[in-house]
Amino acid sequence: MIIETKIIEKPAFRVVGITETVHFDSTVPSSENAIAKLWARFGRRIPEIQGQLGWRSYGLMLQNPDNPPGAPFDYTASVQIAADGDIPEGMISIEVPAARYLVLTYRGQLDGISDAFMHFWGQILPDSPYEYDGGVHTGKYEFEFYDQRYTQPGDPNSEIDLYFPIRAK
């Protein structure tokens, strides 16, 4: 369930993580899909990352808005860092640019998160004075933000913030 919707201006920030091209399969539950498997691998390697800022994890998505729904996209499981340091082997550092975001706070089991994405694309965005401003054309990421409010995939009280870059129409 979506418990809050807001618009914010977020300054640039830096993350370190692992990027993979994801071929999304909507028939696989979110808790078992390719993204969940990437998070499991990345989670074991988080202690290797120096200069982390608290409990701040990001699932970055760099979409190509010209692609049809269901097309592969790049997803980065990452943690926020204070400054560039040594990047562990097999990981990358990304500077996420400052942007205006429409933020949805989702509460529920991870397997229901796709409903929040569909709500943004199907109901919120078309009826708003904004348009999507992310993807490969602008270099702005869409992302999931995980902090201490997210506990585990099956917890109906877990919360995840979904950030969608936007601009006025």
Side-chain angles (χ1 to χ4, degrees):
M1 118 177 78
I2 296 169
I3 60 171
E4 183 179 22
T5 302
K6 61 187 173 188
I7 295 175
I8 68 162
E9 301 286 334
K10 185 162 178 58
F13 61 97
R14 183 164 296 285
V15 298
V16 169
I18 298 174
T19 300
E20 288 186 359
T21 299
V22 173
H23 301 269
F24 191 74
D25 181 351
S26 62
T27 65
V28 178
S30 296
S31 61
E32 300 172 17
N33 68 15
I35 293 171
K37 291 175 182 175
L38 171 60
W39 274 108
R41 286 191 310 277
F42 177 65
R44 291 188 293 273
R45 296 200 55 203
I46 288 175
E48 299 174 37
I49 301 169
Q50 300 172 2
Q52 293 179 52
L53 281 178
W55 206 107
R56 296 180 180 160
S57 297
Y58 294 84
L60 304 176
M61 293 163 272
L62 192 58
Q63 308 276 4
N64 183 342
D66 299 331
N67 284 345
F73 60 93
D74 286 344
Y75 185 97
T76 304
S78 63
V79 294
Q80 189 173 357
I81 59 169
D84 271 339
D86 292 334
I87 309 299
E89 186 175 330
M91 295 189 194
I92 61 169
S93 175
I94 297 174
E95 174 81 17
V96 178
R100 173 181 289 164
Y101 293 95
L102 191 145
V103 183
L104 301 179
T105 300
Y106 167 77
R107 179 184 292 154
Q109 296 180 357
L110 186 61
D111 286 343
I113 197 170
S114 62
D115 292 339
F117 281 98
M118 288 188 301
H119 183 71
F120 169 79
W121 290 105
Q123 278 79 46
I124 292 178
L125 192 62
D127 296 334
S128 79
Y130 301 102
E131 62 187 8
Y132 187 72
D133 191 34
V136 296
H137 302 307
T138 65
K140 295 177 186 170
Y141 290 82
E142 176 181 327
F143 59 87
E144 305 153 350
F145 172 66
Y146 300 88
D147 60 11
Q148 68 279 1
R149 297 170 298 148
Y150 179 78
T151 58
Q152 59 185 14
D155 183 353
N157 294 310
S158 279
E159 292 182 16
I160 302 167
D161 293 329
L162 306 176
Y163 283 69
F164 299 92
I166 57 169
R167 66 177 170 237
K169 287 183 180 174

